Amino acid sequence: MSLSRRSLLAGAGAAAGAAVATAAGTPSASAAAAGTADATGTADATGTADATGTAHAAGRPAGGRRVRTGFEVLAADGYALLAGQRVGIVTNPTGVTAGLRHVVDVMHADERVNLIAVFGPEHGFRGTAQAGGSEGRYDDPATGLPVYDTYLKSGRALADVFTASGVDTVAFDIQDAGARFYTYIWTLFDCMVAAATAGKRFVVLDRPNPITGRDASGPVLDPAYATFVGRRPIAQAHGMTVAELALLFNAAFVPEAAGRAVDLEVVRTAGWRRGDFFDDTGLPWVPPSPNMPTPDTALLYPGTCLFEGTSLSEGRGTTRPFELIGAEGADGRWAAALNEAGLPGVRFREAYFTPTFSKFAGKTVGGVQVHPTDRDALDAVRTGIAMLVTAKRHVPGFAWRSDNWIDKLTGSDRVRRQIDAGAGTDEVVGAWQEELDRFRALRREHLLYPAPRP
């Protein structure tokens, strides 16, 4: 059996319930989850005790269903996909099992896998750095493993890191937030390109998209505006898991960047459905970055992160980043205008807050708190555009950042120019529909999980 077709469901691992997908995106097998403790030391949906004798019955959605991450599927199969390989993993604090053990600690303690290196992204492997920072090169105190810094490295420089580490296979296990400008998916892309350049295998261990995988929305990046918050032309809310994105990247973008596709395999989750929000999965939420504290944050982030490109605070330095938006001089007129717009699935409350850092640190500002009322109806990107349109009209001192960062976030200068010209929400949203439809067609070719039932 060729490596690209190897199933993770051989032997005892068959009970874990998922599959390896090839670089072409075809799942090789699937099965239902069983009711026993797995190799990661976590119990299944029945709530039985794990290898440490601790029961894990809490945190499961109604009906007892729990999603198994790609890592848990891999471990339950005895790491067969990694047999005979020197392995390095790109991960951060979100790389945990359902029992909250970090996957690095689990693999390091398991003689069936030869883990020799860890690669840390923005914020670092153990998560000690704020936005725009990383942990640098060090030896992990818990395991003694060398930790290499990938942040702001790409191309040959990152390929050289992989070569110097001595790994044969680079694995990836990070929880995404579902938005194009959340940088971990571009860490994924950069690492895939570097692995192709260095001749390394690449294995993606899938995790759920926390805001569902129902559909894509928002503008598609113009390549002329490519940065680390958007390397390639995908939609602002992509509606994919990291494994699905990896398949799309490998088919559409990696060969252009590296001269060839990477030797890619992905390990699907077991039990995730495209219509699932994060709290449907039964998995523990670990903040993937310091300003993504809850799944509710992720729900709004594809729209409200656009305020990073303005003079307004996006809520950094508060307990509700990306839910509290405001500026000096703003008052209840903004919330009233937004509620009058009748945006589906959301309401706005007049709010006042004092950020402890970032914009307006130590100053009391006015604005809104965004309250989702029906997350099935909510379109975060459209909501963000409506907030920009109304903020320009109702918030004193509204301005774009002087570096036009909004263009990098939206993927072109079109949104900024339209709003400056007085366009309304419908006109701005309508302008990207053709490019979005083209991305949706590309996206469909690489989806691993079935569409939600109507």
Side-chain angles (χ1 to χ4, degrees):
M1 182 180 297
S2 69
L3 187 59
S4 64
R5 292 287 179 182
R6 178 184 291 173
S7 169
L8 281 185
L9 299 178
V20 174
T22 70
T26 304
S28 57
S30 63
T36 54
D38 65 23
T40 67
T42 60
D44 67 8
T46 63
T48 53
D50 68 12
T52 66
T54 303
H56 296 287
R60 310 250 165 75
R65 181 170 63 91
R66 182 177 75 76
V67 170
R68 288 179 180 270
T69 66
F71 172 79
E72 291 177 294
V73 172
L74 175 76
D77 193 52
Y79 305 99
L81 189 63
L82 305 179
Q85 300 284 296
R86 293 170 296 179
V87 179
I89 187 166
V90 184
T91 190
N92 72 352
T94 65
V96 295
T97 68
L100 292 172
R101 292 187 64 196
H102 199 282
V103 300
V104 167
D105 300 325
V106 173
M107 286 193 288
H108 177 68
D110 197 319
E111 62 183 15
R112 296 173 298 176
V113 59
N114 184 20
L115 182 67
I116 68 168
V118 181
F119 304 102
E122 183 179 8
H123 307 295
F125 156 49
R126 295 291 186 183
T128 65
Q130 260 289 351
S134 60
E135 293 174 336
R137 167 70 176 88
Y138 67 100
D139 290 338
D140 177 45
T143 62
L145 291 168
V147 179
Y148 299 86
D149 187 9
T150 71
Y151 184 48
L152 299 182
K153 294 182 177 67
S154 60
R156 173 53 65 182
L158 185 53
D160 288 345
V161 171
F162 289 160
T163 298
S165 72
V167 302
D168 304 308
T169 293
V170 178
F172 181 95
D173 188 3
I174 292 178
Q175 176 64 57
D176 182 37
R180 182 182 62 230
F181 32 63
Y182 206 56
T183 62
Y184 295 133
I185 63 172
W186 303 113
T187 295
L188 168 66
F189 174 74
D190 288 343
C191 288
M192 290 175 65
V193 171
T197 302
K200 309 298 183 182
R201 286 177 70 234
F202 203 85
V203 176
V204 178
L205 307 176
D206 210 7
R207 287 182 179 268
N209 184 322
I211 57 176
T212 81
R214 293 176 182 176
D215 196 9
S217 65
V220 175
L221 175 81
D222 178 341
Y225 290 82
T227 66
F228 193 43
V229 293
R231 294 282 200 218
R232 291 297 187 271
I234 67 172
Q236 190 165 309
H238 49 71
M240 304 177 78
T241 68
V242 289
E244 292 172 333
L245 282 167
L247 293 170
L248 186 153
F249 291 165
N250 208 36
F253 306 134
V254 172
E256 176 189 5
R260 61 175 178 173
V262 72
D263 180 5
L264 171 68
E265 296 193 58
V266 306
V267 185
R268 302 193 312 176
T269 68
W272 185 70
R273 303 166 183 169
R274 298 210 76 82
D276 286 350
F277 290 92
F278 195 83
D279 60 6
D280 296 318
T281 68
L283 294 170
W285 177 261
V286 175
S289 56
N291 294 290
M292 192 66 64
T294 71
D296 286 341
T297 320
L299 186 66
L300 295 170
Y301 178 77
T304 54
C305 181
L306 296 178
F307 282 90
E308 284 190 353
T310 74
S311 57
L312 277 67
S313 167
E314 65 276 8
R316 292 181 186 273
T318 77
T319 59
R320 289 290 182 177
F322 305 109
E323 298 176 50
L324 288 168
I325 311 292
E328 289 184 300
D331 57 27
R333 287 173 290 182
W334 188 24
L338 283 166
N339 286 325
E340 186 178 343
L343 294 165
V346 68
R347 294 286 291 175
F348 300 86
R349 179 182 67 85
E350 177 184 358
Y352 298 88
F353 56 96
T354 305
T356 59
F357 63 88
S358 194
K359 298 172 186 172
F360 304 110
K363 298 180 179 180
T364 299
V365 299
V368 298
Q369 182 174 358
V370 189
H371 290 266
T373 58
D374 182 351
R375 62 187 183 182
D376 291 312
L378 173 67
D379 181 338
V381 180
R382 184 184 183 88
T383 298
I385 295 297
M387 292 177 70
L388 290 172
V389 168
T390 53
K392 186 170 177 64
R393 299 170 182 173
H394 295 284
V395 176
F398 174 92
W400 306 112
R401 259 174 54 173
S402 59
D403 59 359
N404 285 335
W405 186 244
I406 189 67
D407 299 353
K408 309 301 189 299
L409 295 172
T410 60
S412 75
D413 64 356
R414 183 179 57 208
V415 166
R416 174 174 55 84
R417 288 190 294 103
Q418 285 184 299
I419 292 176
D420 281 347
T425 301
D426 288 342
E427 184 179 349
V428 176
V429 171
W432 65 58
Q433 291 307 307
E434 288 188 10
E435 66 199 44
L436 178 59
D437 287 343
R438 289 192 295 271
F439 173 73
R440 283 168 169 160
L442 173 64
R443 170 183 173 273
R444 281 194 296 270
E445 298 174 14
H446 304 287
L447 300 183
L448 295 171
Y449 307 92
R453 291 186 292 271

